[in-house]
Amino acid sequence: MTDSVPQHISVMLNESVDMLITDKNGLYIDGTFGRGGHSKLILSKLDEGKLLGFDKDPVAIEHGCALQAEDSRFQIVQDSFANMLESIDAKFDSAERVDGVLMDLGVSSPQIDDAQRGFSFMNDGPLDMRMNPDEGVSAAQWIKFVDEKELADVMYQYGEERFSRRIAKAICEYRTHTEITTTLQLAKIVTEANPAWEKGKNPATRAFQGIRIFINNELGDLEQGLEAAAKSLRIGGRLVVISFHSLEDRIVKRFMKLKSKGPEIPRYLPIQNAHLDVKFRSIGKANKPSKQEVEENVRSRSAVMRVLERISD
């Protein structure tokens, strides 16, 4: 097993693992295995504990299988963390609850840096964008047939691209005479259609982000995965989530606020907090990478880490 692309640098590595582990003999979930940076550190902190890793990416699974062969405390599953409850039941005792779940969201550096995966607008490659290239529809296949309005909506909702209508129109006009099959081909269309470039940001950034998130159902998986993680935790167990853009963080923040404060109750109703039966609490405030980490790894600059702990059943 070899990699021809740069290795992934795990963001907020020590901070996240320190917040995650509360019992060295407990059960833990790494929802986004990647290249195993978080998993390896978690295992180094455990005694008789066990760790279950998840990832969609077949290359990540290769790395996970290698770690599984080296350490019997670890198992890897090729699936979304959204489906973790089924795998927890299958891999552990069906009555078991876990002590911690870690999610390091978004696309990894090796996926971005490998032009053949189709995530990058900087290097030419097939327009794929799938976390698991063996499942679902590629970005090229989707763009070939998608309705112009839906394409614009995806770039606006998931990429927060304010010129999505204009860009979608340009893409749909281009595909009438030439099939769009590569990343630089799409990036060029988007760039030429974008009338106002943001300083310090490639004009194709938001469009590519929106399409990638849609193709992989990233936000849907996140919402389902957060609920699954919360259900899986035993008392004292923690959910640690690292997000990298506002859409992800908004979902995580809202989820943790709702879990730790309970549903919004009108002020005029005579209900006290004690009656809400709140089962979770947020641990501290949102954490950001240190200045040193950002200097050493510029891709960490937008990271936000939030932590939720189960306090009762």
Side-chain angles (χ1 to χ4, degrees), residues 281-300:
R281 70 181 179 109
S282 292
I283 304 292
K285 298 181 179 180
N287 291 285
K288 298 280 290 180
S290 67
K291 181 180 178 181
Q292 180 180 347
E293 179 171 6
V294 173
E295 290 175 351
E296 294 174 353
N297 177 19
V298 68
R299 287 176 177 169
S300 71

Side-chain angles (χ1 to χ4, degrees), residues 129 142-143 146-172 186-187 189-191 193-194 198 203-215 247:
M129 294 195 189
W142 181 69
I143 285 175
V146 65
D147 174 79
E148 181 179 324
K149 181 181 183 303
E150 182 182 355
L151 175 57
D153 288 345
V154 163
M155 290 187 289
Y156 181 75
Q157 293 172 11
Y158 301 133
E160 299 179 297
E161 174 53 74
R162 60 192 177 116
F163 300 110
S164 63
R165 304 291 175 206
R166 181 171 179 157
I167 293 170
K169 183 178 180 180
I171 291 171
C172 291
L186 177 61
I189 299 167
V190 173
T191 298
N194 193 322
E198 297 175 64
T205 300
R206 294 185 181 277
F208 267 64
Q209 174 186 296
I211 294 170
R212 187 205 84 219
I213 288 174
F214 174 81
I215 289 294
L247 293 176

Side-chain angles (χ1 to χ4, degrees), residues 27-38:
L27 302 178
Y28 294 90
I29 304 294
D30 183 350
T32 45
F33 179 79
R35 293 299 181 269
H38 286 105

Side-chain angles (χ1 to χ4, degrees), residues 171-214:
I171 291 171
C172 291
E173 287 178 351
Y174 186 95
R175 75 183 182 187
T176 61
H177 57 79
T178 306
E179 188 173 359
I180 303 170
T181 59
T182 72
T183 53
L184 288 190
Q185 195 180 9
L186 177 61
K188 186 174 185 293
I189 299 167
V190 173
T191 298
E192 292 177 349
N194 193 322
W197 297 7
E198 297 175 64
K199 185 177 181 180
K201 181 174 288 189
N202 188 293
T205 300
R206 294 185 181 277
F208 267 64
Q209 174 186 296
I211 294 170
R212 187 205 84 219
I213 288 174
F214 174 81

